Amino acid sequence: MITFSATTVLVLALIAAVVVAIGLWAYSTANRLDRLHVRSDQSWQALDAALARRAVVARSVAGAIAGPPADPALTEQAKALAALADRAERAGRAERETVENQLSGALSTIDIENLRPQLVAELADAEARVLIARRFHNDAVRDTLALRTRRSVRLLHLGGTAPLPTYFEITERATPAASTGLTVDTTRTTARIVLFDDVGRTLLMRGNDPKTPDVSFWFTVGGVVDPDETLRDAAVRELYDETGYKADPDSLCGPIWRRVAVFPFDGDLIRSEELFFALRVPAYEPQAANPAAIERRSITGNKWCTAEDIVRLDSSGETVYPYNLDQLLPEAAAAASGQAHPEVRSIR
């Protein structure tokens, strides 16, 4: 009869526990990956539908500008636009991005003053839907790739045979055709602060679009630069308005990053150039001192976060802006501590 010592039993029990834990983690991760793939597939279908609708509207625009009175230049422009719309509808996924960007370029040359108001509104709506759908698709792709490319996930082949999703990049335009019928603030500049406390956490604000209050996201402190206001003055003003902390403009480090974003907010399509500073302060309890009316409607909370907290927020479905902030924090922390003086660079 085979007997086991207490030590052997303990070792076997520990091995069994580890195997079970790994199995549960793998099962949970595989299910999460499956959900992320479904989300990226659905977001692509939505983007595909938005692009298809834009092609239909582009063909209508081509018909409108080719109508009487006859103008050889406009006729050629209409033919080129209609041909690109046809190509966009037939293009496969591999060439879709190139063709859609060509269509965007063609639409940017259209003089919207020659179009009927109804057609202008249809084009505006179609282009806005493309921008919004692309944003949600790229968010879904980012989240899927972040998990699929982890070493443990790749070693265990938890992603199965599903192909890796890909980003879809389309030209962001600030011409009249890009803003047809929409309120697009093409000159909006925003000053933001990556704010650290004395233990290395960074302050994030939680908010939502008033039009979609059920969808929350997180972002750094900051806001729009007023006319005749410097970036630093705007940053410290927003810091006080949103959190109650008074800072010296000269204490800000930067700007260290630049981000250009196009997004819908409160019914408008906003194009914003965001410039980020870094600042380290003693820990305090943030409390809005002078929030604007829109901030009272859209900002719902705040939190001092570690990099791990940011990853958890992103994983929970509440997107953190800018993207990959957890990976960017060391650079900002070094700037805030005076250990580095980086040149301003573009981020997502």
Side-chain angles (χ1 to χ4, degrees):
M1 181 177 179
I2 300 177
T3 59
F4 297 97
S5 66
T7 302
T8 303
V9 172
L10 179 59
V11 170
L12 291 174
L14 288 174
I15 293 174
V18 170
V19 171
V20 170
I22 293 175
L24 290 174
W25 171 84
Y27 177 78
S28 173
T29 302
N31 280 339
R32 184 180 166 207
L33 266 176
D34 183 61
R35 292 194 298 271
L36 286 171
H37 276 292
V38 169
R39 176 186 163 201
S40 62
D41 288 344
Q42 291 176 338
S43 67
W44 169 249
Q45 291 170 9
L47 177 56
D48 181 60
L51 291 169
R53 181 172 181 269
R54 187 179 74 153
V56 172
V57 176
R59 194 177 293 106
S60 298
V61 171
I65 63 176
D71 183 319
L74 288 179
T75 300
E76 288 303 314
Q77 186 181 38
K79 288 180 179 179
L81 182 60
L84 282 171
D86 290 340
R87 283 185 59 199
E89 287 184 322
R90 297 193 304 268
R93 181 65 178 90
E95 62 172 337
R96 186 72 174 276
E97 189 173 294
T98 300
V99 177
E100 292 292 351
N101 275 295
Q102 291 173 347
L103 180 58
S104 292
L107 285 170
S108 68
T109 65
I110 302 300
D111 184 359
I112 62 172
E113 298 298 328
N114 296 327
L115 302 179
R116 302 187 315 274
Q118 183 180 3
L119 189 54
V120 170
E122 288 181 7
L123 179 58
D125 184 65
E127 295 211 305
R129 288 176 185 273
V130 167
L131 287 174
I132 294 168
R134 190 207 65 160
R135 174 188 175 191
F136 282 107
H137 172 69
N138 284 350
D139 281 352
V141 170
R142 173 180 58 90
D143 293 343
T144 304
L145 293 178
L147 187 57
R148 271 289 295 271
T149 55
R150 290 181 184 176
R151 181 177 299 177
S152 55
V153 172
R154 288 187 283 108
L155 288 175
L156 294 176
H157 300 287
L158 298 180
T161 59
L164 288 174
T166 56
Y167 291 106
F168 190 89
E169 299 299 342
I170 194 167
T171 304
E172 295 175 358
R173 298 181 291 110
T175 61
S179 58
T180 49
L182 291 173
T183 303
V184 179
D185 186 353
T186 59
T187 61
R188 168 170 170 169
T189 302
T190 300
R192 297 201 168 279
I193 300 177
V194 185
L195 189 70
F196 294 95
D197 67 6
D198 41 15
V199 294
R201 300 176 301 177
T202 189
L203 182 64
L204 293 181
M205 313 301 290
R206 186 174 189 260
N208 55 52
D209 185 335
K211 298 294 185 182
T212 55
D214 296 332
V215 180
S216 295
F217 49 87
W218 296 79
F219 50 94
T220 55
V221 176
V224 178
V225 179
D226 290 336
D228 301 323
E229 187 178 34
T230 68
L231 285 171
R232 290 175 180 270
D233 287 342
V236 297
R237 173 181 54 77
E238 288 289 338
L239 176 62
Y240 175 72
D241 290 348
E242 294 180 0
T243 77
Y245 187 88
K246 291 185 177 181
D248 181 352
D250 293 334
S251 65
L252 300 183
C253 302
I256 57 174
W257 304 326
R258 174 181 179 270
R259 176 175 182 259
V260 176
V262 177
F263 53 90
F265 186 78
D266 200 25
D268 293 332
L269 190 66
I270 306 296
R271 187 178 191 277
S272 177
E273 180 183 24
E274 302 177 343
L275 291 147
F276 292 77
F277 295 91
L279 177 65
R280 190 177 300 277
V281 300
Y284 69 100
E285 188 63 33
Q287 187 167 352
N290 186 32
I294 189 63
E295 292 172 341
R296 288 195 294 270
R297 294 173 55 204
S298 60
I299 296 180
T300 59
N302 59 67
K303 182 179 180 180
W304 290 100
C305 297
T306 63
E308 292 75 17
D309 292 330
I310 292 172
V311 172
R312 282 192 289 270
L313 289 173
D314 257 328
S315 299
S316 71
E318 295 192 349
T319 303
V320 177
Y321 298 102
Y323 295 123
N324 303 317
L325 180 58
D326 59 301
Q327 300 172 28
L328 296 170
L329 286 182
E331 179 183 344
S337 300
Q339 300 172 359
H341 303 280
E343 294 290 332
V344 61
R345 67 182 185 89
S346 295
I347 61 171
R348 292 184 65 241

